[in-house]
Amino acid sequence: MRNTITEAEIIKWDTLETEVPLTEVDTLRMLDQLESNERDYSKQAIAVLYSMLAFHRLKRLENSDYLIDLLLDKAASYDDTVTVYQSLRDIKTYFHFYNELEKLEVATWSIRETDFDPVKLKKLNEWLIQLQQLKKNAITKREPNETQPEIVSIYKRIEKTISDFIEIVEDSIASLENKRSGIPVQRLNDYIKELVGLKKDFYRAFPDVLRASNEKSPLEKLDEMVGLDDVKKYISQYYHYLKYQKERKHMGFHMIDEPGLHMVMTGNPGTGKTTIARLLAEIYHELGLLDTKEVTEVNRSHLVGSYVGQSEENTMSYIKQSLGGILFIDEAYSLKRPEQSGSDYGQAVIDTLVSAMTGKEYANKFAVILAGYPEEMRQFLWSNTGLRSRFPEQNVVSLPDFKMVELVQIAQNTALSNDYFFTEEALNRFESVIDRAKVDDTFGNARTVRDLVLKAIFKKGATKTINSSDNWLEHMRIDVSDLDIMEDNERLKNEPMKQLDNLIGLTNIKEEVKKLSSFVTAQQKRKKLGYPAVPIQLHAVFSGNPGTGKTTVAKIYSQLLKECGLLKRGHFVLASRSDLVAGYVGQTAIKTKQKIREALGGVLFIDEAYALFRGENDFGKEAIDTLVDEMTKHNENLVVILAGYENEMKQFINSNPGLSSRFKKYFKFLDYNGKELVEITDYHVARYQYQLDKYAKTYIQKQYQAHSIKGNARFVVNLVDEAIQFQSLRIADEKYSTDTLLLLKQEDFEKAWQTVKGV
């Protein structure tokens, strides 16, 4: 917002013909601050601000509504002598009448001498109803100090013309009903022409800024779209090229190779492909290259049939429907699937389409626009040479993903179109909401941002009620608190670190994680203050024997990185060799990429990672190479943790330069000592609300001290589970009591030890 705008700049806006100094959103924010006493302006300036907002709203809606009346009333309550207030008050009234006049499709009216009397009577009765309704909506009260004399003058002429027209229509109806011969057909048609002319004059009399939206060319509409600078430049050049060739043809020049209208649009979801296709249809129609500006939108499901001949039939049906306009095929690459079998009829659609585009019957009578993801469309076109040749290289338009500043602008526009606005603080927070959604290639750009805004609006509406005493701005404002309730997964409020502290043992790991957490926090603070931040290495190797807590710590690590803002989702994905490596050539990379895509925004934990490498000819090498490439590609959106035995992990990391250069953070998980194993036992026993008698506790303490425990915590969990089962067997024939059900004895653990000691 222009926080530096002065009162003098606000008051300077005194005519509707000059540029408004504030946007609609900035005006809303400023009035919001005034309502909450955060700003202090004179009554005159406040009246101008309310008038400014009423103007923006009238321009956006192109009609009057309750809020415009409310805003003008508020302006008048501060200072009703403000010039723009008086102008808007008058303009609003006449603009509303013009919209009523628009409903009267008088340009389509006509009556002929040769029409049969019943036809004439039907037409006249229909006209009379509409004219009387329009007269009923006429402006009954006008202020004496009109600020728009030209508009008033034309309005009076319209008012008189309507009255005279009604009179002659009524006389004509009476003549026809009474079977009197002849009605003044010429006079009736003259009134129609006069009303059409007055309607145009009336519209032209309004200030330019209020009628601009109805008169925008396709290029102007394109220029108003957020971002897409290169696309706008190309479409503008394309428009002028087509126009130049058209004018050149009128001069008598001939061109054997006519400019092609068919086009390919590539881009990720929500980048504006459909919108631009519709604007192209308007451009083609405006230049007379196509008869209509209609766009027929289809995809694979519309075209591909389930039996022989149905695909050709479906395709021809939509081609005929598109004649004179554009056939827009979304996700066109799906017509030709790589694994396509003989029962897939997508190729029949392509063949039929190419035939229609080149055949005498339909060629140049419709335009085809193919749309889809960039890489998929490239492969699709290269695999169909006949189709590719129909689309000139210059007619392949690539729509880029929107930048963050553009996505934020789209969010503001979406909110405003639904009569909401973001406070500045909320808009800054919403940027992080968008950023968290930009995890992988499923992000839908403008479409996703629109959905996020609507989600915020839904959450606000689901928790608010409207009272008559409410400030009207309260129900337009989206503030930070509305975004707080929008986020179902709230910040973890130090839970990860608390979970880590609660783990038994792992002293060295806790220190390493705390050190990393402090480092991350410090670097983020430096970055905010404008200092250079030291690169953060988050990929890690967890080495240690089974049961030492590697998986548990990795889950906490993922939550901690989300809390620090370094991961967008913070979810945990567990994988092993079988999840990444396939059994035949070419599939391992696909399988690995799928698992990585699943983990984007979180942590990919690969257990027993050394199993990926079993020699140069093993498919696991392809998984490693793919992993390294994807880690580079998604550097700030993925954390990989490799886990396994210490010696094996060292050999594995050192065997591949790509791995050794990316994994520099090592966490060594030590075996638990006897005291820690007892604590873990106590924890798991208490977890199920059991109790150890003193002999059982003494027994397990001695066992942990006397034996080397393979499996660490995993051994303890198995031991407790077995002890509980042996206790159940022991008390099966006893009379149950609370003490009996809860108490675990030494004999239970002795039998359990014998069962699991080999683990």
Side-chain angles (χ1 to χ4, degrees):
M1 186 174 102
R2 288 187 56 195
N3 291 311
T4 56
I5 191 168
T6 64
E7 185 169 316
E9 287 179 288
I10 293 171
I11 295 172
K12 189 177 178 182
W13 187 63
D14 58 0
T15 172
L16 303 183
E17 300 293 348
T18 58
E19 184 180 352
V20 188
L22 289 172
T23 66
E24 185 172 0
V25 171
D26 287 342
T27 311
L28 279 163
R29 288 178 183 161
M30 186 165 284
L31 286 171
D32 191 30
Q33 292 172 351
L34 285 166
E35 293 274 0
S36 57
N37 299 314
E38 293 179 30
R39 285 181 180 265
D40 185 23
Y41 280 146
S42 68
K43 288 186 175 181
Q44 182 186 3
I46 296 173
V48 173
L49 281 171
Y50 276 108
S51 301
M52 202 179 287
L53 188 56
F55 169 80
H56 278 303
R57 189 170 183 82
L58 185 62
K59 180 182 177 183
R60 175 163 60 88
L61 300 181
E62 298 179 359
N63 206 342
S64 179
D65 70 353
Y66 167 77
L67 269 180
I68 292 175
D69 293 336
L70 182 148
L71 293 170
L72 290 176
D73 288 345
K74 291 281 281 185
S77 70
Y78 284 97
D79 187 347
D80 64 359
T81 65
V82 169
T83 307
V84 286
Y85 156 72
Q86 294 177 345
S87 298
L88 273 169
R89 177 202 59 195
D90 296 337
I91 284 287
K92 181 209 69 162
T93 303
Y94 291 107
F95 208 67
H96 177 74
F97 177 78
Y98 174 77
N99 280 289
E100 293 299 318
L101 184 59
E102 272 272 78
K103 296 175 185 177
L104 199 73
E105 297 180 355
V106 66
T108 64
W109 292 2
S110 68
I111 194 165
R112 297 174 298 179
E113 292 281 3
T114 55
D115 288 338
F116 293 113
D117 284 354
V119 173
K120 291 176 182 174
L121 186 60
K122 182 182 178 182
K123 286 183 179 180
L124 292 171
N125 276 313
E126 288 173 352
W127 298 352
L128 182 61
I129 292 170
Q130 294 180 57
L131 290 166
Q132 287 175 335
Q133 182 63 42
L134 184 62
K135 187 174 182 180
K136 184 180 177 182
N137 292 327
I139 303 163
T140 55
K141 182 182 177 182
R142 294 192 297 277
E143 298 294 334
N145 56 334
E146 298 282 5
T147 60
Q148 307 292 329
E150 185 182 0
I151 291 177
V152 173
S153 173
I154 297 171
Y155 172 77
K156 288 177 179 178
R157 288 165 57 195
I158 292 172
E159 196 174 36
K160 184 176 186 310
T161 301
I162 290 171
S163 295
D164 293 345
F165 198 2
I166 288 174
E167 187 176 333
I168 191 173
V169 168
E170 287 176 334
D171 289 344
S172 298
I173 289 172
S175 295
L176 290 169
E177 288 178 339
N178 294 318
K179 308 296 183 183
R180 292 199 296 266
S181 61
I183 62 169
V185 170
Q186 187 58 51
R187 285 184 62 199
L188 287 165
N189 286 326
D190 287 344
Y191 273 112
I192 292 170
K193 289 177 184 177
E194 184 177 357
L195 206 49
V196 169
L198 286 170
K199 178 182 169 184
K200 291 178 181 176
D201 293 341
F202 193 44
Y203 186 68
R204 285 197 209 93
F206 287 102
D208 292 344
V209 287
L210 282 177
R211 54 187 173 82
S213 58
N214 278 343
E215 298 177 341
K216 286 173 185 165
S217 69
L219 284 182
E220 288 172 327
K221 292 177 185 176
L222 176 66
D223 195 53
E224 284 186 351
M225 290 179 68
V226 175
L228 304 172
D229 293 338
D230 290 340
V231 176
K232 290 173 182 176
K233 182 179 178 182
Y234 171 73
I235 296 293
S236 178
Q237 291 174 341
Y238 185 53
Y239 170 84
H240 289 294
Y241 168 75
L242 292 173
K243 188 176 181 181
Y244 168 73
Q245 291 295 354
K246 179 186 174 184
E247 291 170 351
R248 190 170 174 271
K249 193 173 183 179
H250 286 163
M251 292 175 66
F253 292 103
H254 295 281
M255 192 167 177
I256 297 173
D257 299 311
E258 289 282 352
L261 302 183
H262 307 305
M263 188 167 286
V264 174
M265 289 186 188
T266 68
N268 289 322
T271 48
K273 298 185 290 294
T274 307
T275 303
I276 291 178
R278 290 169 185 162
L279 290 175
L280 268 176
E282 290 188 39
I283 288 173
Y284 290 162
H285 179 59
E286 181 185 301
L287 293 174
L289 301 172
L290 289 176
D291 296 336
T292 75
K293 54 184 178 183
E294 296 300 316
V295 178
T296 303
E297 299 173 25
V298 298
N299 56 37
R300 176 185 167 91
S301 65
H302 295 93
L303 303 173
V304 179
S306 55
Y307 55 84
V308 175
Q310 189 182 25
S311 296
E312 293 89 339
E313 183 181 327
N314 291 346
T315 306
M316 283 308 306
S317 174
Y318 283 108
I319 287 171
K320 290 174 182 176
Q321 189 177 320
S322 305
L323 291 177
I326 286 179
L327 177 62
F328 178 84
I329 306 177
D330 200 13
E331 297 183 5
Y333 52 82
S334 64
L335 294 175
K336 182 73 173 178
R337 293 170 171 169
E339 70 282 5
Q340 187 167 303
S341 66
S343 60
D344 189 300
Y345 302 111
Q347 185 62 46
V349 173
I350 297 170
D351 295 340
T352 305
L353 186 64
V354 171
S355 176
M357 291 166 68
T358 55
K360 291 182 179 180
E361 188 175 0
Y362 300 114
N364 301 319
K365 293 181 181 178
F366 74 111
V368 176
I369 296 180
L370 305 181
Y373 292 110
E375 181 58 25
E376 286 84 344
M377 287 301 296
R378 186 187 69 79
Q379 293 179 10
F380 169 65
L381 288 171
W382 276 103
S383 66
N384 293 272
T385 53
L387 189 62
R388 185 175 75 247
S389 65
R390 306 295 176 257
F391 296 89
E393 187 177 341
Q394 67 271 17
N395 279 19
V396 178
V397 178
S398 178
L399 277 65
D401 289 337
F402 288 104
K403 300 171 186 173
M404 179 56 75
V405 66
E406 295 165 346
L407 293 170
V408 169
Q409 184 59 54
I410 289 168
Q412 286 203 92
N413 294 348
T414 302
L416 190 60
S417 67
N418 289 282
D419 274 346
Y420 284 89
F421 73 96
F422 287 94
T423 63
E424 288 184 276
E425 188 180 1
L427 193 63
N428 291 334
R429 171 75 73 83
F430 197 76
E431 183 173 333
S432 67
V433 173
I434 297 172
D435 189 54
R436 282 199 298 277
K438 291 180 67 176
V439 176
D440 52 35
D441 55 13
T442 63
F443 177 70
N445 286 280
R447 196 177 304 157
T448 297
V449 169
R450 175 182 171 276
D451 291 342
L452 289 171
V453 173
L454 294 179
K455 182 179 178 182
I457 291 171
F458 172 81
K459 292 289 186 180
K460 179 181 177 73
T463 58
K464 301 284 185 183
T465 54
I466 295 181
N467 299 309
S468 57
S469 58
D470 287 348
N471 181 343
W472 60 277
L473 273 166
E474 167 62 24
H475 303 293
M476 289 187 74
R477 184 196 313 113
I478 299 175
D479 57 28
V480 172
S481 63
D482 297 316
L483 299 184
D484 287 338
I485 62 170
M486 171 190 169
E487 295 174 339
D488 297 322
N489 299 318
E490 293 187 29
R491 292 178 65 82
L492 299 171
K493 301 175 184 175
N494 295 320
E495 276 298 313
M497 197 59 73
K498 186 178 178 181
Q499 290 176 41
L500 186 66
D501 286 334
N502 288 340
L503 293 177
I504 295 165
L506 302 174
T507 304
N508 65 317
I509 299 298
K510 291 174 182 177
E511 289 300 317
E512 282 294 320
V513 173
K514 287 176 182 177
K515 181 175 72 174
L516 179 63
S517 177
S518 300
F519 171 72
V520 167
T521 302
Q523 294 308 311
Q524 287 179 318
K525 287 179 179 177
R526 283 174 57 87
K527 189 176 180 180
K528 285 182 180 178
L529 293 171
Y531 296 108
V534 178
I536 301 171
Q537 176 57 261
L538 298 175
H539 304 302
V541 176
F542 284 12
S543 63
N545 290 324
T548 48
K550 298 186 292 296
T551 305
T552 302
V553 172
K555 290 177 181 177
I556 296 172
Y557 186 65
S558 66
Q559 294 174 13
L560 186 66
L561 293 178
K562 182 189 178 185
E563 184 189 48
C564 294
L566 292 174
L567 286 177
K568 295 175 181 178
R569 291 178 178 169
H571 63 301
F572 177 85
V573 176
L574 177 64
S576 62
R577 176 184 167 93
S578 63
D579 296 303
L580 306 175
V581 180
Y584 47 95
V585 176
Q587 291 303 304
T588 292
I590 295 172
K591 202 171 181 181
T592 304
K593 285 180 180 180
Q594 286 174 342
K595 187 56 70 173
I596 289 169
R597 178 176 290 188
E598 183 185 335
L600 288 177
V603 167
L604 176 62
F605 181 85
I606 305 177
D607 201 13
E608 297 183 7
Y610 49 80
L612 289 175
F613 186 70
R614 294 175 177 171
E616 288 295 327
N617 297 322
D618 181 64
F619 290 134
K621 185 178 184 301
E622 184 183 354
I624 297 169
D625 294 339
T626 304
L627 179 66
V628 170
D629 289 343
E630 292 295 305
M631 286 172 67
T632 305
K633 182 179 176 182
H634 302 289
N635 186 39
E636 296 181 355
N637 203 23
L638 174 70
V639 170
V640 177
I641 296 177
L642 305 180
Y645 293 109
E646 184 178 1
N647 291 333
E648 286 85 342
M649 288 305 299
K650 283 182 180 178
Q651 293 174 9
F652 173 61
I653 296 296
N654 292 333
S655 71
N656 188 297
L659 290 176
S660 59
S661 65
R662 285 165 178 79
F663 290 91
K664 298 184 178 177
K665 200 74 182 172
Y666 285 79
F667 292 82
K668 184 177 180 180
F669 287 73
L670 304 175
D671 289 338
Y672 290 104
N673 59 38
K675 181 183 177 183
E676 291 168 342
L677 290 171
V678 172
E679 286 183 50
I680 295 170
T681 305
D682 287 339
Y683 170 80
H684 281 285
V685 168
R687 181 181 172 194
Y688 301 110
Q689 296 187 11
Y690 281 90
Q691 298 169 4
L692 291 174
D693 73 2
K694 62 179 181 179
Y695 301 108
K697 190 154 189 174
T698 301
Y699 171 77
I700 60 173
Q701 285 174 336
K702 288 180 179 179
Q703 293 297 98
Y704 289 150
Q705 293 295 336
H707 296 85
S708 175
I709 305 300
K710 293 181 180 180
N712 290 281
R714 195 175 300 167
F715 175 91
V716 173
V717 172
N718 291 337
L719 180 69
V720 172
D721 288 346
E722 285 293 332
I724 290 171
Q725 291 179 50
F726 279 114
Q727 182 246 31
S728 302
L729 183 63
R730 175 173 55 79
I731 65 174
D733 297 327
E734 297 181 20
K735 187 177 181 179
Y736 289 158
S737 66
T738 302
D739 290 342
T740 304
L741 287 169
L742 297 183
L743 195 63
L744 297 175
K745 295 185 176 182
Q746 178 176 336
E747 62 184 283
D748 301 324
F749 277 94
E750 286 176 345
K751 292 175 181 177
W753 188 274
Q754 293 300 318
T755 302
V756 300
K757 66 177 181 179
V759 176

